[in-house]
Amino acid sequence: MTKQNLRYFLPPLTLIILLFAIDIFYLSPTLPQSPATFPSFRTRDLNGQEYDESLFHGHLTLVCLWVTKDDSSAEILEALAAWQQTEENSIQLVGLVGDLKDDAPADKIAKAKSMTRNLPSSFPQLLTNDSLFPFLSTIKSTPTFVFVNNQGQITGQPVAGWEIRLIKKEARRILSAGSPETQQKNHLQSQLMR
């Protein structure tokens, strides 16, 4: 490369390097984002029982958004219920029927009840309404599984699709994050990275 060519390439190259340095040192977030909060809501389940956001208090909850148009939804809901019972985990399961509003016709509610007839009563299936719109508007596909902590904050990574293995893996990760061993490990790592 000649000095003439270098003179043309050096200013743009210097500018690119400077922009990367600014991005890395000044524009990169230094504080963690605050977790999204599940919206306040009031709705009922397939059996007419009323629920609101207090449902999450005191529990790590897996919200399972599904639709009645997908006949295989019942399979994954049953698999999750079996997982909850066999592993005796402390995760509460809550279904959210994404394509049924709380004023849905009786025949559509009957179909959803039929699809969930093998689920335990401790796994409520909530109907949607306008109070749940802030959550529903963030979802791109069904089924989608989202963890909500005991303060009503969405936590961990959502899982889209029929990925029960990924749901279990994310559940174990979230549950272990609160363990004293993991907290001590994170504290030590943060001290070393100072």
Side-chain angles (χ1 to χ4, degrees):
M1 188 177 271
T2 66
K3 287 185 180 181
Q4 181 86 5
N5 288 344
L6 188 59
R7 191 174 80 204
Y8 290 112
F9 289 110
L10 194 56
L13 185 60
T14 305
L15 181 61
I16 291 171
I17 291 170
L18 181 62
L19 289 174
F20 278 127
I22 290 171
D23 181 49
I24 290 170
F25 294 110
Y26 294 106
L27 299 180
S28 297
T30 56
L31 298 174
Q33 286 185 317
S34 60
T37 300
F38 201 89
S40 295
F41 67 93
R42 182 177 252 3
T43 190
R44 60 186 177 89
D45 69 3
L46 292 173
N47 298 316
Q49 184 174 347
E50 289 200 11
Y51 287 89
D52 62 21
E53 66 276 359
S54 66
L55 173 68
F56 301 128
H57 298 290
H59 304 280
L60 174 61
T61 303
L62 177 59
V63 176
C64 310
L65 177 65
W66 62 281
V67 292
T68 58
K69 295 172 187 166
D70 182 356
D71 291 331
S72 59
S73 293
E75 292 174 31
I76 194 156
L77 296 174
E78 289 173 15
L80 288 170
W83 165 65
Q84 181 190 39
Q85 291 172 350
T86 57
E87 291 197 18
E88 296 181 7
N89 63 48
S90 58
I91 297 173
Q92 172 179 249
L93 299 175
V94 172
L96 183 57
V97 191
D99 60 347
L100 288 185
K101 289 191 120 189
D102 57 5
D103 60 355
D107 62 323
K108 291 187 178 195
I109 289 178
K111 179 182 180 183
K113 280 183 174 182
S114 172
M115 292 176 72
T116 59
R117 70 182 171 277
N118 295 328
L119 297 179
S121 60
S122 61
F123 190 173
Q125 302 301 311
L126 307 181
L127 300 168
T128 65
N129 60 28
D130 291 341
S131 67
L132 288 160
F133 180 76
F135 170 72
L136 295 170
S137 66
T138 65
I139 305 298
K140 305 289 186 236
S141 65
T142 57
T144 296
F145 304 90
V146 177
F147 290 93
V148 179
N149 68 19
N150 59 2
Q151 287 98 30
Q153 299 168 323
I154 296 172
T155 186
Q157 295 296 316
V159 178
W162 305 105
E163 300 289 342
I164 192 135
R165 184 183 55 78
L166 291 177
I167 295 167
K168 291 177 182 180
K169 182 178 178 181
E170 185 63 9
R172 285 190 290 274
R173 189 191 68 75
I174 291 169
L175 289 170
S176 71
S179 73
E181 296 84 15
T182 303
Q183 289 177 350
Q184 183 178 17
K185 178 181 145 189
N186 291 341
H187 176 72
L188 290 172
Q189 286 178 344
S190 69
Q191 295 299 312
L192 291 172
M193 300 307 261
R194 280 182 165 186

